[in-house]
Every structure is written in C-alpha cells, then in structure tokens.
Amino acid sequence: MSGSDRRQQVLRIAAEEFADGGLHGASTELIARRAEITQAYIFRMFGTKKALFLEVVIAAFDRLTEGMRDAAGTETGLDGLALMGAQYNELLADRTSLLLQLQGFAACGDPEVRDAVRDSFGRMWQTVADATGLDAVTIKAFLAFGMLLNNGAALQVAELDEPWASGVRTRIQAGLFDHITTETNQ
C-alpha cells in the first residue's frame, strides 16, 4: 500500500473511532490495530493524537461546508439558502461526519481544538454569507436550525415514535426564513 493510500486508510479508521469515542475516548492503539500498522507509525504520520483528531474533524466540517456551497451554485438569497438546507439535510446521513462535528464541539475545552473548530465554523458561516448575500440574523437562524438537525440525527430520531421526535423530523417548508429580515431584527 502506498504512503498516500495508507494515510487515507488511517484517516478513515480514525474518523470512525473519533466519531464514536471523541478526542479522549478513541484509542490510537485501536486505530493502529485496525489499520494493521504500529501506533508509532500513526505518530510519525500525524505527530499527535490531537493532530489526527483535528484533521478528521476539520475535514468533516469542510465536507459539509463545501457541499452546501456547491449545492447553492449560482443561486443567492433565500433560494440559495434553500438549496444549501436541502444539501445539509442529505449530508446528515453521513453519521461519521456528523458525529465528528459534534465531537469537535464537545472537545472545545481544549484551546487548540476550540480554535480549529471556531475556524471551521467561521468558514461555514462565511460560505453561507458569501453564497447567499443574506444578513447575519438569517444566517444565524439557518445555522441554529442546522444544529437542531445535527442533534436530531445524532439521536437517530427517525427510529423513534415519540411526539417530540416527530416534531424534530418535521420537514422544512419553503419560506421558513422569509419573516427574518434585517429590519425586524436590529
């Protein structure tokens, strides 16, 4: 296996392990065992466990951000936002990436992780702002709704027959953000 292929293999395995166990719960020993390499080789490739964690967390944020940007294409305003929202909902099916984002937020007690997650979230915010041209309040509402969807997906609400879970699963209808304008929220 080439060095590049091995690195991709380790990143895939590490993403799964960190998604399940987080920064402190995942084991580089287990990642190495699953990749059939030594733990020392992981440290030669990535330096530290935290560096490996940050690489997979940032990649998960970037996939989401790039997916939304690509979905909007040349559409702007609420039309672009609607396309981003539809893509976001589809991307939630990637449970590993979803959980990596949440694990990134959970590990923000570490200043280095917090800075990396802030940067990733900031890129997401700026991507939505640049693609749609919408005001901060609308972007805030959109991303806040996305956080609810993240939590619902993490909780696997699709498997539950509970009134609250049904509410979380409610589909977003066109016009959800129409009432939010700069004028009404200054």
Side-chain angles (χ1 to χ4, degrees), residues 106-117:
C108 279
D110 178 294
E112 190 177 353
V113 173
R114 183 175 50 247
D115 288 346
V117 172

Side-chain angles (χ1 to χ4, degrees), residues 169-182:
R169 289 191 306 266
T170 302
R171 299 290 300 175
I172 300 170
Q173 301 300 317
L176 175 67
F177 297 102
D178 289 346
H179 71 285
I180 301 172
T181 65
T182 304

